[in-house]
Amino acid sequence: MLQFETLEYKNLLSTGSAPIKINLLEAKLTALAGKSGDGKSTVLDAISFVLYGRSYRNINKSQLVNSINKKELLVQLAFNVNGSSYKVTRGISPNVFEIQKDGVDLDSTVVTDQQMFLESIIRMNYKTFKQVVVLGATDFTSFMALKPAERRLLIEKLLDIEVFSIMAKNIASELTDTKKDITSIQREILDSENIIKMQEQS
């Protein structure tokens, strides 16, 4: 179970150097309302950036930095997964990427690929995040537009049943080997039958 707790960001797009902090635990449901350009999508960009280092929209990473300040973009997201507390910090100019678990910094010497480690914690890659967590109006039909293999992968991640694909691959491999063994045995049987016929004729 993934539960976002707090989100804080500054110098992201039109947001200035004064940090904006959103407490997502004050209520069971948090709704953002406002006119076009008020910054609703910026919140989604902040979550996407801190988790994946990119916007959920078609915005280049360099364009995420406030065009006036041009530095110190910083986003922090605190969340809870199965009773463990995590805090992810990501920034540009300077570049920052830090992960904390229960208040302790992640040892980068143990986990060399921090992004892969983070995605394993939240159990979502960027594509799944866009399909499940951030579903904009322009992406409403995107699930049906996916290729069958991509749809299957998405459903497997949602239901946590990737193990069945692994089992299917293993079974397919074993089936191929078994078919080869059967073919080999059938050849041996045919050879043996031919030898028996020749001996009977003799």
Side-chain angles (χ1 to χ4, degrees), residues 76-159:
Q76 293 181 322
L77 177 66
F79 59 90
N80 189 289
V81 177
N82 298 327
S84 296
S85 296
Y86 293 89
K87 183 177 181 181
V88 181
T89 304
R90 198 186 297 254
I92 302 176
S93 297
N95 291 328
V96 179
F97 184 27
E98 299 171 350
I99 303 173
Q100 287 185 347
K101 179 180 180 182
D102 296 324
V104 179
D105 290 336
L106 179 69
D107 189 349
S108 58
T109 60
V110 176
V111 180
T112 54
D113 192 334
Q114 294 190 74
Q115 183 61 43
M116 187 177 293
F117 178 76
L118 177 58
E119 291 180 17
S120 71
I121 294 171
I122 60 179
R123 304 188 68 81
M124 278 186 292
N125 59 23
Y126 178 69
K127 184 175 289 186
T128 304
F129 173 79
K130 287 191 67 175
Q131 293 289 334
V132 179
V133 178
V134 181
L135 187 61
T138 57
D139 295 327
F140 184 72
T141 59
S142 58
F143 176 78
M144 294 309 296
L146 292 173
K147 296 178 182 177
E150 293 174 333
R151 289 201 298 265
R152 186 189 71 243
L153 182 62
L154 176 60
I155 294 299
E156 287 177 350
K157 284 188 173 295
L158 286 176
L159 301 179

Side-chain angles (χ1 to χ4, degrees), residues 148-180:
E150 293 174 333
R151 289 201 298 265
R152 186 189 71 243
L153 182 62
L154 176 60
I155 294 299
E156 287 177 350
K157 284 188 173 295
L158 286 176
L159 301 179
D160 194 20
I161 55 173
E162 298 103 319
V163 64
F164 292 115
S165 278
I166 297 173
M167 291 170 64
K169 288 180 181 178
N170 291 338
I171 291 173
S173 177
E174 291 177 7
L175 182 61
T176 300
D177 292 341
T178 302
K179 286 181 178 179
K180 289 180 180 178

Side-chain angles (χ1 to χ4, degrees), residues 184-200:
S184 177
I185 291 172
Q186 287 175 337
R187 287 175 181 169
E188 290 178 5
I189 291 173
L190 184 62
D191 290 342
S192 297
E193 288 176 346
N194 289 334
I195 291 173
I196 291 173
K197 285 180 181 180
M198 291 176 61
Q199 289 180 346
E200 287 177 343

